[in-house]
Amino acid sequence: MPELPEVEVTRRGLEPHLAGRRIAGAVIRNGRLRHPIPNDLGATLAGQRVKSVARRGKYLLLECETGWLILHLGMSGSLRVLPAAAPAEKHDHFDLVLEDGHCLRLRDPRRFGAVVWATGDVFAHPLLAGLGVEPLDEAFDGKLLHALTRKRQAAIKQVLMDGKLVVGVGNIYANEALFRAGIDPRTPARKLGPKRCARLAHTVRETLEQSIAAGGSTLRDFVDPSGNPGYFPQQYFVYGREGQPCRVCGTAIRAIRQGQRSTFYCPKCQS
DNA sequence: CGCCAGGCCTGCACGC
DNA sequence: TGCGTGCAGGCCTGGC
């Protein structure tokens, strides 16, 4: 389940392998992802140079000469750069083949990912147009978070995960950031004052940045672009720790369901 | 066997 | 009215 840090680590890993390279074509082994991969994508891409590797939220954006290849890893996707001749395994659905003999290979067992070709202003594309602020952007601060949450009666945890407000904060980091900010995840978003919004904006950023610095978190399905498993044993404060002692106060971590998602929190530290 | 994981889209109901 | 909001369902497979 790649979240923003994993996508950013992937982006940084891919950039030196892709930027400036020319595309030979594509191999579509199974195009039935979140959006069907068009059969003629290889023909569209062939001969184009990759100009840059960017990111918006959890979308990776390969800027090509006549458009953009938008990639999403869904919950179980991973990207690696391999020799183009390397044998494909079961869930290797898509290759972007480079002229230098390598390929960018997408593996995605659950097929929640996406490979989409877009022309024109990529940020106006339907997949990207409605996305909220980048949490690592300077614009994301307590003031903005406060303004964005004034009309939101829903629990702050669910609002924090709403990509129309702020992108890239999935379940794990929402839980972790709320713990670090000392905020009960069930608190109606609009009840948070400027002070708690400032604290939360800070911990969201801090949590994401630390995870990026660690090279991605310890996620089963994540493999970094060079092929090394992305296992950086990361200590979560609350995520997945139901019943275990809070690392700060020792109180047993609680698990509840919010909007069909698991929420973990410390009933003492987050009140 | 059945359930769970979960990002993100869609569709629906509701209220101002 | 129309929009913002909130909620639930669906997609999919591996692991327990």
Side-chain angles (χ1 to χ4, degrees), chain A residues 204-244:
Chain A
V204 165
R205 182 193 300 260
E206 174 188 76
T207 307
L208 295 173
E209 280 177 349
Q210 283 182 7
S211 188
I212 291 170
S217 63
T218 163
L219 299 174
R220 280 195 302 279
D221 296 324
F222 182 67
V223 176
D224 82 23
S226 53
N228 303 316
Y231 287 76
F232 294 83
Q234 171 156 323
Q235 288 238 331
Y236 292 132
F237 281 107
V238 289
Y239 183 78
R241 299 193 64 242
E242 180 180 13
Q244 298 176 50

Side-chain angles (χ1 to χ4, degrees), chain A residues 173-191:
Chain A
Y173 295 107
N175 278 297
E176 293 297 302
L178 283 163
F179 173 82
R180 291 181 185 217
I183 296 170
D184 187 320
R186 299 165 295 184
T187 311
R190 68 185 214 190
K191 299 246 168 149

Side-chain angles (χ1 to χ4, degrees), chain A residues 2-11 34 53-61 70-74 122-123 127-137 161-170 208 212:
Chain A
E3 296 203 34
L4 189 145
E6 288 75 25
V7 178
E8 177 58 22
V9 167
T10 297
R11 189 195 70 74
R34 203 169 93 208
V53 183
R55 179 185 62 73
R56 176 74 174 101
K58 294 179 189 172
Y59 291 92
L60 281 168
L61 310 173
I70 304 176
L71 303 172
H72 197 284
L73 300 177
V122 72
F123 298 106
L127 288 175
L128 307 183
L131 296 182
V133 62
E134 288 284 337
L136 302 181
D137 198 287
M161 291 176 65
D162 180 354
K164 291 189 283 297
L165 254 74
V166 52
V167 295
V169 186
L208 295 173
I212 291 170

Side-chain angles (χ1 to χ4, degrees), chain A residues 62-83:
Chain A
L62 306 194
E63 184 188 4
C64 301
E65 289 170 315
T66 70
W68 298 73
L69 193 63
I70 304 176
L71 303 172
H72 197 284
L73 300 177
M75 289 194 45
S76 58
S78 60
L79 288 163
R80 300 167 64 183
V81 173
L82 301 165

Side-chain angles (χ1 to χ4, degrees), chain A residues 152-160 184-189 258:
Chain A
R152 303 296 293 263
Q153 178 61 37
I156 183 59
K157 160 122 182 305
Q158 289 168 271
V159 172
L160 206 51
D184 187 320
R186 299 165 295 184
T187 311
Q258 290 184 288

